[in-house]
Amino acid sequence: MDRQTLIRTAIETLPSSYVPYSHFHVAAALLCRDGTVYTGINIENAAYTPTICAERSAFFRAVNEGKREFDAIVICGGREGVITDYCPPCGVCRQVMREFCDPKAFKIILAKSETEYKEFTLEELLPLGFGPEDLGRGN
């Protein structure tokens, strides 16, 4: 799948976010190694801590379906669902990515539009990340 299609998928998912408190919509499109794409949205909760980010939402859906190999994720977001800037993943989401992805190879694409985006490796956004191999288990 090309970047623009993956970006478009994330952008089209953005209105599904459930954000009655912050009004900050976030969506993600996660590309599995086999070409399958899982989308995710942020889902807020009045108690705040049960809130889940779009990135983790996508990963957890994919893992629930048996996927364990991932190539890239697109993340987009903005207040009232209007994308005005790049929307980087929080630290918790970066750590979830680290559980399942090769930090040198996994791509994180922050998109403002289909043609305006920035691409990073997970290692660039989570240097010296703690992963499965640190507990004696390889990816």
Side-chain angles (χ1 to χ4, degrees):
M1 173 174 286
D2 65 74
R3 279 182 186 77
Q4 280 66 36
T5 303
L6 195 61
I7 291 168
R8 183 172 37 258
T9 300
I11 292 170
E12 289 173 352
T13 303
L14 196 58
S16 299
S17 296
Y18 177 75
V19 291
Y21 308 106
S22 73
H23 305 282
F24 195 92
H25 296 251
V26 181
L30 176 63
L31 177 62
C32 301
R33 177 107 0 105
D34 68 3
T36 307
V37 175
Y38 287 86
T39 58
I41 55 167
N42 57 329
I43 303 169
E44 294 181 343
N45 187 287
Y48 291 108
T49 57
T51 294
I52 187 167
C53 298
E55 301 91 311
R56 284 182 284 142
S57 176
F59 265 94
F60 295 164
R61 285 181 66 200
V63 171
N64 184 59
E65 296 292 323
K67 304 298 181 182
R68 299 292 188 275
E69 296 181 334
F70 307 99
D71 288 336
I73 191 167
V74 170
I75 307 162
C76 63
R79 189 134 173 83
E80 304 298 341
V82 178
I83 302 169
T84 59
D85 205 353
Y86 297 107
C87 187
C90 74
V92 173
C93 288
R94 294 174 200 207
Q95 187 60 47
V96 167
M97 292 175 199
R98 180 63 179 88
E99 181 68 20
F100 295 101
C101 304
D102 175 353
K104 293 180 185 314
F106 185 72
K107 302 294 183 193
I108 299 170
I109 302 164
L110 310 179
K112 288 169 62 173
S113 72
E114 286 182 46
T115 58
E116 193 174 5
Y117 60 88
K118 292 183 179 182
E119 183 174 302
F120 303 90
T121 64
L122 176 56
E123 185 174 58
E124 290 174 306
L125 296 185
L126 186 67
L128 302 173
F130 187 84
E133 65 281 354
D134 293 304
L135 296 175
R137 187 175 77 72
N139 259 356

